């Protein structure tokens, strides 16, 4: 049964928001434990991981997917390019744009950090069985998807145009 937005009690919503804020802080601490490379910030690592899942793409599209401004995206990409983890080349479709790729070194960095995080998760959740983990992952995915749709709807209402928070691969035909 789907409740109307007005049927949620203030205490239910406050509890959810409190737990989300708590999760955000815990994830930030967890991420800083993985900070193995002083050249690449955690935020830039997240940009790298998102780029890998959507390559090839453009900086503006990636910024939109991550919900950050183009200036912040430029700083992250400069950091990643300087570290040799991201490469860019001119778009064959639009000469004003560049297509972004994760380099081999970037892929290796992502694999290393993923292994590190997986091992750390095993250590902090030793008593969780597969069913419980899958249930929580599913609920979080459902929550994230629902919140994204709600945010998009509010942005559409506010600005008159839909602004994607999930994005798509840009220029799948621009692989050359």
């Amino acid at each position: 049964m789907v409740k109307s937005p007005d049927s949620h009690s203030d205490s239910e919503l406050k509890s959810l928001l409190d737990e989300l804020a708590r999760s955000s802080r815990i994830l930030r601490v967890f991420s800083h434990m993985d900070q193995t490379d002083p050249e690449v910030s955690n935020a830039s690592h997240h940009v790298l991981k998102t780029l890998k899942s959507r390559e090839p793409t453009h900086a503006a599209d990636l910024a939109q997917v991550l919900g950050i401004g183009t200036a912040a995206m430029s700083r992250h990409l400069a950091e990643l390019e300087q570290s040799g983890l991201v490469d860019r080349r001119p778009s064959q479709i639009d000469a004003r744009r560049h297509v972004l790729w994760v380099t081999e070194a970037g892929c290796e960095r992502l694999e290393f950090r993923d292994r590190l995080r997986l091992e750390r998760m095993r250590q902090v959740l030793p008593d969780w069985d597969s069913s419980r983990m899958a249930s929580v992952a599913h609920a979080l995915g459902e929550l994230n998807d629902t919140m994204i749709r709600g945010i998009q709807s509010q942005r559409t209402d506010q600005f008159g145009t839909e602004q994607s928070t999930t994005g798509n691969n840009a220029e799948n035909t621009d692989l050359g």
Side-chain angles (χ1 to χ4, degrees):
M1 176 178 164
V2 176
K3 287 183 167 185
S4 72
D6 294 334
S7 67
H8 299 294
S9 74
D10 286 354
S11 65
E12 289 173 324
L13 292 172
K14 283 180 181 178
S15 178
L16 178 60
L17 288 169
D18 287 348
E19 286 303 320
L20 287 172
R22 184 173 168 231
S23 292
S24 177
R25 289 187 302 273
I26 291 168
L27 285 172
R28 197 171 307 120
V29 168
F30 189 81
S31 289
H32 286 288
M33 292 171 69
D34 294 339
Q35 188 71 37
T36 57
D37 184 357
E39 294 177 13
V40 179
S41 69
N42 283 315
S44 291
H45 181 269
H46 185 64
V47 169
L48 183 65
K49 189 169 185 127
T50 305
L51 171 58
K52 181 62 183 162
S53 71
R54 297 179 180 284
E55 66 183 351
T57 194
H58 303 282
D61 299 330
L62 195 56
Q64 187 176 28
V65 165
L66 292 168
I68 63 175
T70 53
M73 179 56 64
S74 293
R75 286 190 299 274
H76 291 300
L77 291 173
E79 182 180 319
L80 293 166
E81 285 181 89
Q82 186 175 13
S83 296
L85 306 177
V86 168
D87 194 16
R88 72 172 67 213
R89 61 181 117 166
S91 169
Q92 292 181 347
I93 294 173
D94 184 348
R96 298 167 297 172
R97 298 179 86 184
H98 286 86
V99 179
L100 301 168
W101 302 86
V102 176
T103 65
E104 186 175 331
C107 290
E108 289 171 3
R109 181 77 50 89
L110 285 171
E111 288 173 22
F112 172 78
R113 194 146 177 195
D114 283 348
R115 285 191 308 272
L116 188 67
R117 289 183 137 190
L118 289 172
E119 187 53 39
R120 187 158 290 123
M121 283 298 284
R122 282 186 186 92
Q123 292 171 5
V124 298
L125 300 174
D127 299 330
W128 282 46
D129 63 24
S130 297
S131 173
R132 184 177 185 190
M133 217 170 294
S135 176
V136 170
H138 177 76
L140 286 172
E142 205 173 8
L143 175 64
N144 288 333
D145 291 345
T146 301
M147 289 183 74
I148 286 169
R149 284 191 303 274
I151 290 166
Q152 287 173 333
S153 175
Q154 287 181 3
R155 284 182 175 172
T156 300
D157 292 347
Q158 184 177 3
F159 300 110
T161 58
E162 186 169 328
Q163 297 180 359
S164 175
T165 54
T166 57
N168 297 321
N169 280 5
E171 284 187 48
N172 286 332
T173 58
D174 193 13
L175 302 174

